[in-house]
Amino acid sequence: MKITLGRRTFLRTSAATVALTALGQNLAAMAEDMPPADDEEALYKLAQAEGGLTWYQTNPLAPMELVAAEFTKKYPEIPVSVTRLAGPAQYARFVQEVAAGQHIADNLLMGDFSLMNALIDDGHMASWRTPTHDRLPAGFTLGNEAFCVQTNEIALIYNQDRLTEEEIELLRADWANVLDPRFTQRFTASTMRCGGCYVPVHMFLSPQYGERYGWNFLEGVGRQKPAVYSDFQVIIDRVVAGERDFSFWSGSGAAYARWDSGQPIRWLFANPTPVWANDWMGVSRYAPHPASARLFANWWASEDGAYALQNIYGASTVLQGFPDQRKMANETWFKPPVDSFAPDWQRWAQNFDSDMTRWIDILTKNA
Amino acid sequence: MIKATIHWLKSQWFALFLTVPVFFVAFIPLLYVIRSAFLEERDIGLGTAFSLDAIHNVYLTLDYLLPLWNAVFLAAIVTAISLIVGVALALVVARTDIGGKPVWETLIIMPLFLSPFTGLISWVALGSERTGFINVAYSGLLRPFFESVPALMNIWTFGGIVWVMLLFFCPYAYLFTLGSLRSMDVSLEEAARASGASYFQVLTRVTIPLSAPAVFASGMLIFVLSAEMYTIPGIIGTPINFTVLPWRMFEDMTVFPMHHAHAAAAGTILLWITVLGIWLQGRFTRQAERFVTVTGKGFRGTPIRLGRFRPFVIAFLLVFTGSAVILPFGALIVMSVMKYSAPMVTPELLTLRHYEQLFASPQLSRALVNTLGLALASGVICVGLGFLISYRDVRKHGIVNRFLAFIGILPVAVPGMIYGVGLLWTYSQTAIYGTVAILLLAYAAKFLPYGIMVSRTGILQLHPDLEQSARISGASPARTMALITMPLMRGTLISIFFFVVLMAIREMSASILLYTNNSITLSVLTWNYMDAGNYQFAAAIGVVQTLIILAIIVITRVLFNVSLQSTMGRAA
């Protein structure tokens, strides 16, 4: 098919493209005029002139709105408009908007390391080194473009009225104990595809643990006839309701808000526990409110931010020198992970799709 | 040649004028979707190079053909059962002496007020194997007598998918058939009775055959809507190894690594299914002209006396309304006041905090205003455009009019999510991106097919003689339309309006892709909380959404003296 572009259309399109490019460059130029990261007063003054900011983020909306409200409490006149866009949807939306010259998001919080990395590689994230940059552990920063202030710890979430102390200790001791006949048909599993859904599979198949677990172990889990659901939140909800006694892994953060609101659940960390950097925060290079965006990034990485994340979202923060002040930290049932496992991102990228497909096949063929 | 062209253009100016917005809103986004099916894929997006990989994989491998078969199989079963139940309900309401008709009429269409996704959440609470309210109550009743009581139902099965879907689709079959039964020339049935035919013979040889075009139209609509539904079959089906094509598309669009080209290619399959359906419906409704009735006076015959069958018919109505209305709405209300999911409702579990949080949320008022504004505006657009397009297609014929009707109906074929992506690509560089206006375009395009299809059936039931008489008497085409056609179609047009309003209030799949915080709708708000696992809060929004729809029905009745459930029944 031959498409003819009229002269007028061509000129209009060119003009629009030039205008959008110029706008993008202007925003980037504005960003370069920012005060130093530790000059909070100057940054706040600029941010006040800008108004609020828009934050695209991947986590449940309600707790994140509360976390954002803590920021606004500290910095009045800077409201945060929180938009929930999970995983690839956030990446796709942001890239689409950038391509169209629609600069809406100021800050991004992405759950997937590789997606944030792709945005950095493509030059979409601003370079901004927060004042607490050096208090984040190695592996929790991506240059000066993105950083992570919390870990995701994989847990078995259980209904506190349905597991005995002995059973809890058994599960805590080793993942392999889930194959004990007493647990047949007593747990839930998910066919969802996401980072948290994959990381234990990634660990079971790793060179370190492949011999101990491997596909044989996962096949055995399938033969235990778990109740399989399509979504992580559903498997936790079914545990809360008592449909099954525990979930065969979820992110512990997903359980915190429920536990905090009085739901009858707790969680345990089976040994070894997959723990990895989760929720990558960055400032858009085209942020329409560049000072507000940077102020928010600073706050997110600060002790105030860590406190809000711990107490509202139950996040396990990694800001060095900042203690764990989460409500459950002093509960007798809560025991932190013993041995942790960190993912190998290269092997992850290579095997994610095929491993998840096989794992889902195991779950569904036994359903 | 030039003169002939000018003459043709003059005669077609209005159709061409209508074609422009329909083309840009309904057709261009689809072209974007089709184009993207031919692009290479990267892990996190589409490239620019041409590739046939997606088309090959979707059309020629079991990875997609099996989910396609599952979708068609499921849609066929849901359509067949919905038609049987829906037609039976319509016959009971329109042709028998059953008492309390206004109540039954309202109850039967009530499933339309609830989004299928919200309904699914209700049925999870009701029909889960060990903790569903129904199974817990059943077990509680029988436990004193039996050692072990098996679950009465399990919603997490293939049967569960069919059950939940058909409860939501039966009202479509009911409404279409009811409309046809009410506008049917009753003298045909009376003649059959006078000739000695039994009630059963009249039903099977006269009434149902005369309603066949409407039943077929509703069947096609149910089939298309079932085949494109991804939420219910996806959420229940995936864990039991039953994947349907729309869910596969949803995963391709949202899960890493993304397969946008595959999702678009799969969308084209659904498009072909709808094109086939439109063609079949066109052939069928053309035959329907043989059954044209001008009456509009409604059924005035003697209703069938139920006699000794009355208890069975009442039981049938109770089972349907209990399953489709009372139980899911009841579960929704109960969930909305529970602190968390539990198998039993105890006083300490009850709370009003979800409503308190909801009404304190600034997003609620924004979502309410956006939802109502979008629903009313898309209702007006779909009634106006749908009527004009169908009128020209039925009365004027011609290739432009047929093309216009064809492209106007196409968006019904593509799941809202895929269509939303097309719209996003089409309008992302315009000023309407990120505003409520892009949602309005999505709604108008997505629901215009209903405007076209339903008004087409209504126009077919009006004999052209009436309009021709007006024209012979000197009335202009516009005057004829305003004074003859539209008043005679008042019921149909009102019903299209409210039908679109209902659908717009529930719309979720395209809205999720296109919304920003300023253009958030109630459905998106519900999705956000459901996705975060806050089902009780989402249930509270579902209750508010249902109350709004009920308020619309009451206000319509009080202000305009229009009984929505009756006019919707006349639509088909």
Side-chain angles (χ1 to χ4, degrees), chain A residues 191 228-230 360-361 363-367, chain B residues 62-78 155-163 165 226-227 229-249 251:
Chain A
T191 54
V228 181
Y229 300 104
S230 58
I360 291 168
D361 280 349
L363 288 175
T364 53
K365 84 180 176 198
N366 286 291
Chain B
L62 282 179
D63 283 352
Y64 285 83
L65 291 178
L66 196 60
L68 170 65
W69 165 250
N70 287 343
V72 170
F73 177 66
L74 176 66
I77 290 179
V78 169
I155 209 68
W156 300 94
T157 57
F158 178 75
I161 303 174
V162 174
W163 175 250
M165 284 176 74
S226 315
M229 180 174 276
Y230 67 92
T231 48
I232 295 174
I235 290 169
I236 304 182
T238 312
I240 54 166
N241 211 7
F242 182 81
T243 305
V244 292
L245 190 65
W247 181 257
R248 187 72 209 253
M249 292 158 71
E251 289 194 319

Side-chain angles (χ1 to χ4, degrees), chain A residues 70-101:
Chain A
E70 289 298 309
F71 167 77
T72 306
K73 209 183 276 177
K74 179 167 183 188
Y75 300 104
E77 300 166 53
I78 323 282
V80 183
S81 170
V82 189
T83 299
R84 178 163 196 253
L85 288 164
Q90 186 181 151
Y91 173 90
R93 173 93 162 245
F94 178 73
V95 169
Q96 179 78 35
E97 287 174 350
V98 168

Side-chain angles (χ1 to χ4, degrees), chain B residues 185-492:
Chain B
D185 189 348
V186 73
S187 61
L188 295 168
E189 288 166 288
E190 284 176 344
R193 283 288 294 151
S195 308
S198 66
Y199 283 130
F200 183 74
Q201 284 172 319
V202 173
L203 276 182
T204 52
R205 295 189 186 175
V206 180
T207 316
I208 293 176
L210 280 174
S211 299
V215 174
F216 182 85
S218 68
M220 196 202 87
L221 184 65
I222 294 169
F223 185 85
V224 169
L225 290 176
S226 315
E228 71 149 50
M229 180 174 276
Y230 67 92
T231 48
I232 295 174
I235 290 169
I236 304 182
T238 312
I240 54 166
N241 211 7
F242 182 81
T243 305
V244 292
L245 190 65
W247 181 257
R248 187 72 209 253
M249 292 158 71
F250 172 73
E251 289 194 319
D252 282 345
M253 293 288 298
T254 56
V255 173
F256 182 85
M258 289 184 279
H259 297 293
H260 278 187
H262 283 74
T268 62
I269 293 189
L270 294 179
L271 200 63
W272 304 140
I273 291 175
T274 302
V275 169
L276 179 69
I278 292 170
W279 179 74
L280 284 173
Q281 197 209 11
R283 285 188 68 85
F284 218 81
T285 48
R286 233 165 283 147
Q287 288 179 23
E289 290 182 54
R290 287 186 292 155
F291 312 120
V292 154
T293 56
V294 196
T295 68
K297 63 188 177 189
F299 181 72
R300 296 282 185 274
T302 315
I304 298 170
R305 285 190 305 278
L306 288 171
R308 65 179 190 277
F309 293 105
R310 188 176 304 276
F312 298 104
V313 172
I314 291 175
F316 167 61
L317 289 174
L318 285 175
V319 167
F320 178 79
T321 52
S323 307
V325 182
I326 312 289
L327 283 173
F329 279 94
L332 194 68
I333 292 167
V334 169
M335 282 176 71
S336 73
V337 292
M338 283 177 76
K339 287 179 184 161
Y340 50 84
S341 302
M344 307 265 275
V345 185
T346 52
E348 63 270 19
L349 274 182
L350 298 177
T351 178
L352 286 174
R353 76 166 177 234
H354 308 304
Y355 287 99
E356 288 163 7
Q357 284 172 11
L358 182 61
F359 290 113
S361 160
Q363 279 193 322
L364 178 71
S365 50
R366 205 179 308 143
L368 264 175
V369 170
N370 288 338
T371 304
L372 287 175
L374 281 166
L376 295 175
S378 50
V380 170
I381 291 170
C382 292
V383 167
L385 266 181
F387 170 74
L388 289 172
I389 290 170
S390 281
Y391 184 81
R392 294 197 63 87
D393 183 34
V394 173
R395 294 287 191 252
K396 308 279 182 189
H397 306 295
I399 192 163
V400 178
N401 293 317
R402 186 151 293 173
F403 174 72
L404 185 58
F406 177 74
I407 61 170
I409 289 176
L410 278 182
V412 80
V414 184
M417 173 160 282
I418 303 290
Y419 187 77
V421 169
L423 212 60
L424 195 69
W425 288 336
T426 312
Y427 292 102
S428 60
Q429 294 191 29
T430 67
I432 66 167
Y433 180 79
T435 68
V436 181
I438 196 166
L439 285 173
L440 182 60
L441 288 188
Y443 288 17
K446 194 69 191 147
F447 304 131
L448 181 61
Y450 303 108
I452 295 174
M453 286 191 290
V454 179
S455 57
R456 178 188 170 82
T457 320
I459 294 165
L460 276 172
Q461 287 185 327
L462 293 178
H463 203 288
D465 280 356
L466 287 170
E467 293 155 37
Q468 281 161 10
S469 304
R471 294 281 287 131
I472 289 167
S473 308
S476 67
R479 196 171 161 79
T480 305
M481 193 185 283
L483 295 181
I484 305 289
T485 320
M486 291 183 82
L488 281 172
M489 284 189 64
R490 180 172 169 263
T492 303

Side-chain angles (χ1 to χ4, degrees), chain A residues 24-352:
Chain A
Q25 283 170 349
N26 284 343
L27 290 169
M30 279 162 67
E32 281 162 15
D33 295 336
M34 288 294 121
D38 53 4
D39 189 350
E40 187 183 321
E41 203 182 320
L43 206 55
Y44 182 34
K45 208 169 180 183
L46 282 174
Q48 281 173 309
E50 289 171 359
L53 67 103
T54 299
W55 180 30
Y56 285 1
Q57 65 83 29
T58 189
N59 293 321
L61 188 62
M64 286 300 114
E65 282 185 327
L66 293 174
V67 170
E70 289 298 309
F71 167 77
T72 306
K73 209 183 276 177
K74 179 167 183 188
Y75 300 104
E77 300 166 53
I78 323 282
V80 183
S81 170
V82 189
T83 299
R84 178 163 196 253
L85 288 164
Q90 186 181 151
Y91 173 90
R93 173 93 162 245
F94 178 73
V95 169
Q96 179 78 35
E97 287 174 350
V98 168
Q102 301 274 7
H103 302 302
I104 296 171
D106 292 290
N107 294 78
L108 302 181
L109 184 74
M110 306 196 87
D112 195 309
F113 160 86
S114 50
L115 292 177
M116 179 55 88
N117 221 11
L119 290 178
I120 293 169
D121 286 348
D122 292 342
H124 295 315
M125 304 310 293
S127 175
W128 183 252
R129 194 180 172 89
T130 64
T132 51
H133 186 93
D134 295 332
R135 287 176 64 187
L136 294 172
F140 284 73
T141 51
L142 288 170
N144 288 334
E145 282 83 10
F147 59 92
C148 174
V149 297
Q150 67 183 85
T151 57
N152 197 347
E153 296 153 342
I154 293 298
L156 304 190
I157 294 163
Y158 61 91
N159 187 308
Q160 64 194 45
D161 304 322
R162 308 293 285 255
L163 283 187
T164 64
E165 279 305 315
E166 185 199 351
E167 287 171 339
I168 291 168
E169 286 310 317
L170 200 62
L171 290 169
R172 189 175 277 143
D174 191 338
W175 290 88
N177 290 334
V178 79
L179 301 183
D180 189 295
R182 77 179 82 181
F183 295 124
T184 304
Q185 291 196 333
R186 286 182 61 190
F187 59 92
T188 60
S190 169
T191 54
M192 196 174 172
R193 286 169 179 261
C194 63
C197 322
Y198 177 58
V199 67
V201 176
H202 178 72
M203 180 183 77
F204 297 139
L205 303 175
S206 66
Q208 195 180 350
Y209 295 108
E211 210 165 301
R212 188 161 145 199
Y213 299 104
W215 283 114
N216 281 342
F217 167 68
L218 291 168
E219 292 278 358
V221 172
R223 284 192 293 275
Q224 286 286 67
K225 299 267 178 200
V228 181
Y229 300 104
S230 58
D231 188 275
F232 259 15
Q233 293 296 344
V234 179
I235 72 174
I236 301 173
D237 185 71
R238 294 296 81 204
V239 170
V240 170
E243 185 76 21
R244 293 292 188 273
D245 301 341
F246 63 97
S247 73
F248 191 65
W249 83 68
S250 315
S252 57
Y256 179 85
R258 287 173 179 270
W259 169 79
D260 193 32
S261 68
Q263 300 191 15
I265 52 167
R266 293 170 180 169
W267 57 98
L268 62 91
F269 298 109
N271 200 41
T273 307
V275 176
W276 83 104
N278 193 40
D279 287 355
W280 292 88
M281 163 67 91
V283 174
S284 165
R285 186 168 165 239
Y286 324 98
H289 311 101
S292 303
R294 283 158 177 79
L295 190 66
F296 186 58
N298 283 1
W299 178 82
W300 184 261
S302 72
E303 293 198 352
D304 287 340
Y307 183 79
L309 267 175
Q310 284 190 2
N311 278 283
I312 295 169
Y313 189 49
S316 176
T317 53
V318 294
L319 192 65
Q320 286 169 350
F322 190 75
D324 189 348
Q325 300 180 53
R326 288 176 294 171
K327 288 174 191 164
M328 80 288 176
N330 296 322
E331 296 277 336
T332 50
W333 59 265
F334 180 76
K335 291 184 178 142
V338 180
D339 300 319
S340 58
F341 168 84
D344 166 358
W345 294 113
Q346 202 174 352
R347 191 168 59 84
W348 177 296
Q350 275 169 1
N351 300 345
F352 176 91

Side-chain angles (χ1 to χ4, degrees), chain B residues 166-186:
Chain B
L166 79 88
L167 293 178
F168 285 96
F169 286 122
C170 281
Y172 291 88
Y174 162 80
L175 280 175
F176 274 64
T177 313
L178 189 72
S180 166
L181 292 173
R182 283 193 165 146
S183 56
M184 195 179 285
D185 189 348
V186 73

